[in-house]
Amino acid sequence: MRKRSRARVVLFVAIVLGVLAAFVLSKRAVRRPSSAERSAAGGAAEDQDDPSAIVEDARRYEVRTWSFPLARFELRIEDAAMTTALDGVLERAEGELAVNGGFFGPDGKPVGLAVSNGAVLSRLSKQMSGGVLTVDDDEAHLFAAETFDVPDSGAHFAVQCRPRLVVDGVANVKSDDGKRAERSALCVRDGGRVVDVVIVRGSHDGEIPGPSLFALAKHLAGAGCESALNLDGGPSTGVAWREDGGVKLLAPRSPVRHAIILREKR
């Protein structure tokens, strides 16, 4: 009888620990494993269908992805004040992740619609076209900028950039324009209830710049994005995130105006 009681106690403790572990994991954003991590775990690092890599021009680019359920996380826009120190912006905003935002002009002023916490930081640019990604009522949606109506949207968050990479689950970039650069994007999935932040960097010396928009759009559609918006990439591409009790940084190579912040709802 004692052995049976002891076994029941051990089983009960194991169940409690499992529930606690699941709760802790559910409260944090999920970063998908990198290609290097998949390879170390026995994954096929060079697989063309690898969700953590893009292969183009016989070159392989690591894709870093962080997923945020909008029931627990909100998107905000912070003024990065033309800095590359996204880790500092992340700390000030008390966020989980900070990524470069939309376009800005030579004078450093933002270009295109930017809405944070319901306040319009920068106006819609019909001339820029592209897309507008909005978040309200725990759901994200991507609209064509040409037909978007700001007063009717009532969005809590919005960012305009270009191009729309994925529309209705299909890659929206139809051909390769030959341009290669580091990339950043927002991907919407699960009926708008989850937003992914996607970063693709090139080599540290800049000699291998990054993939084309054509390759990125195909990759995101293949990875299950229902819609996706390209952010201001190239030298603006950068991200800071919390991991293992600290903040990690892939700094943009040039200063940025706006940073998009993902943080837990208060």
Side-chain angles (χ1 to χ4, degrees), residues 145-170:
E146 296 88 342
T147 58
F148 186 74
D149 192 332
V150 178
D152 288 346
S153 72
H156 184 81
F157 166 92
V159 61
Q160 179 185 6
C161 214
R162 70 177 184 222
R164 291 183 295 162
L165 296 168
V166 178
V167 175
D168 295 331
V170 178

Side-chain angles (χ1 to χ4, degrees), residues 21-31 66-76 94-97 135-140 156 190 192-196 261-266:
F23 175 78
V24 170
L25 287 174
S26 71
K27 293 296 289 180
R28 298 191 64 83
V30 177
R31 184 177 73 84
W66 295 261
S67 295
F68 294 88
L70 296 180
R72 295 195 301 272
F73 291 90
E74 63 180 359
L75 282 79
R76 302 177 71 93
E94 299 179 339
E96 186 74 20
L97 180 144
V135 177
D136 202 29
D137 295 330
D138 298 341
E139 284 192 7
H156 184 81
D190 193 21
R193 292 182 291 272
V194 174
V195 168
D196 290 354
I261 306 294
L262 284 296
R263 74 178 192 181
E264 286 197 67
K265 293 180 177 179
R266 280 133 168 92

Side-chain angles (χ1 to χ4, degrees), residues 50-66:
D50 183 355
S52 62
I54 292 175
V55 178
E56 185 178 45
D57 302 331
R59 290 172 175 166
R60 185 174 178 282
Y61 304 100
E62 181 181 2
V63 179
R64 296 171 181 259
T65 303
W66 295 261

Side-chain angles (χ1 to χ4, degrees), residues 186-204:
L186 296 178
C187 156
V188 176
R189 61 175 70 248
D190 193 21
R193 292 182 291 272
V194 174
V195 168
D196 290 354
V197 176
V198 181
I199 294 288
V200 188
R201 296 274 291 220
S203 62
H204 293 295

Side-chain angles (χ1 to χ4, degrees), residues 54-128:
I54 292 175
V55 178
E56 185 178 45
D57 302 331
R59 290 172 175 166
R60 185 174 178 282
Y61 304 100
E62 181 181 2
V63 179
R64 296 171 181 259
T65 303
W66 295 261
S67 295
F68 294 88
L70 296 180
R72 295 195 301 272
F73 291 90
E74 63 180 359
L75 282 79
R76 302 177 71 93
I77 296 176
E78 294 286 335
D79 188 351
M82 299 308 292
T83 182
T84 62
L86 291 181
D87 50 346
V89 179
L90 179 67
E91 293 280 22
R92 289 195 302 273
E94 299 179 339
E96 186 74 20
L97 180 144
V99 63
N100 58 282
F103 295 131
F104 54 93
D107 58 359
K109 293 182 179 180
V111 177
L113 182 65
V115 177
S116 182
N117 199 27
V120 177
L121 308 180
S122 178
R123 297 188 180 279
L124 180 74
S125 172
K126 297 281 189 179
Q127 183 179 6
M128 189 177 86

